Amino acid sequence: MGNLIKAEFRKTLSLKTWWVLLIPLALVAFWLTFAWGKITNDFADFLSSDSDARQVTRLIGLDPSQVPVGLLALAHGVNIAQLVPGLFGIFALAGEYRSKTITTTFLTAPNRISALTAKMLTYVAWGAIYGLVSFGVSAIAVMSSVDSGRWPSAGQWLAALGGTVLAAVLVTLFGIGFGAVLRSVPLAVVLFLVWFLIIENVLVIMFWGWGDVRILGGILPNGTANGIVGGIAADAFGFNSLNLPDDVTSGAQLLLQYTAAAPGVLSWWASALIFFGWTMLFFGLGWAGNQKRDIT
């Protein structure tokens, strides 16, 4: 297994994909976090002036002048940037089918289970690397754009770091499974981006006011992936779906949770478990489909 993992790392490092994707990852994470950091003072003012938001802050015991709103900016930055390791995962197996290197990969391994296991472990490491880079540049952006009195606490920094790395690893594995099921890089990339950036957000907004369907953002793939780090921010502010007061309007709830980058989020750990289920579903389908698939 060790030799197979080394071979996977060599194969990945021999291509430009890994560092080419690091560039948009760093740019998106930094600039989106920086932009959100710039509006955090306006958000704090909103908490103080808007009637619904003021009611929420009073009920959950938040002081708008002291909350570390930089955590919100960081959540937005890393949540969008985590699409990049997802794309990287799509190239892992679907890219090998496109380049025809999958034949060599399977023929040089004792069996396909060993080859796919080695690939999975290799890309877990790559996902963690992407998560560390995403968190690092986002943290710099927070410190560059947010007043130090509104930075996350030490515990929140650590929680956000762990959540970012966990989310990046899971999204990478999701990408591998998604690409393995479709076996077409262009199709997988387009469907992945369109669903995560457009379709699911439209569905969440459309059905938000339909009572319990409001939870849609807390069970679908994009919402639960975002809910890992976004849920940490939402928990810090009391904005998750489990503890928002019943008398706060649905529109105010949607605004507050989008502000935390996690509409419909239950809590960070629930989001992690649900998205882990989505990841294992697609990874399992891709794994099963590649056990007997023709590679000639």
Side-chain angles (χ1 to χ4, degrees), residues 27-187:
L27 290 175
V28 169
F30 180 87
W31 287 112
L32 189 57
T33 302
F34 187 88
W36 269 91
K38 283 295 187 182
I39 66 171
T40 51
N41 285 336
D42 291 337
F43 175 76
D45 292 338
F46 165 76
L47 289 179
S48 300
S49 60
D50 182 85
S51 59
D52 284 325
R54 189 167 58 248
Q55 180 186 29
V56 173
T57 56
R58 184 176 66 252
L59 289 172
I60 61 181
L62 285 176
D63 181 352
S65 65
Q66 296 179 359
V67 292
V69 289
L71 187 60
L72 299 179
L74 187 143
H76 278 276
V78 299
N79 278 354
I80 296 296
Q82 72 186 7
L83 293 175
V84 176
L87 296 175
F88 187 57
I90 287 174
F91 282 93
L93 202 57
E96 288 215 51
Y97 275 101
R98 183 185 62 175
S99 63
K100 306 300 183 183
T101 57
I102 192 67
T103 302
T104 304
T105 297
F106 283 156
L107 291 179
T108 55
N111 51 63
R112 294 191 183 187
I113 292 178
S114 297
L116 292 172
T117 301
K119 189 176 289 290
M120 178 187 71
L121 294 175
T122 301
Y123 278 82
V124 164
W126 277 112
I129 291 170
Y130 275 75
L132 288 171
V133 173
S134 177
F135 176 83
V137 296
S138 293
I140 293 172
V142 168
M143 292 184 284
S144 301
S145 61
V146 178
D147 183 81
S148 60
R150 287 175 171 168
W151 291 356
S153 66
Q156 289 169 341
W157 279 121
L158 289 175
L161 170 59
T164 302
V165 172
L166 174 61
V169 168
L170 291 178
V171 172
T172 303
L173 294 179
F174 181 93
I176 294 176
F178 194 69
V181 170
L182 296 178
R183 279 201 302 170
S184 168
V185 171
L187 179 61

Side-chain angles (χ1 to χ4, degrees), residues 79-80 82-83 86-87 90 171 174-175 178 182 186-207 215-226 258 263 274-275 278-279 281-282:
N79 278 354
I80 296 296
Q82 72 186 7
L83 293 175
L87 296 175
I90 287 174
V171 172
F174 181 93
F178 194 69
L182 296 178
L187 179 61
V189 167
V190 170
L191 289 180
F192 177 80
L193 292 177
V194 169
W195 177 268
F196 272 65
L197 291 176
I198 301 175
I199 295 177
E200 187 174 318
N201 284 299
V202 171
L203 290 174
V204 170
I205 294 172
M206 283 178 58
F207 293 106
I215 207 65
L216 204 61
I219 59 175
L220 293 178
N222 180 56
T224 49
N226 289 341
Y258 258 112
I274 296 171
F275 187 66
W278 282 110
T279 299
L281 172 64
F282 279 94

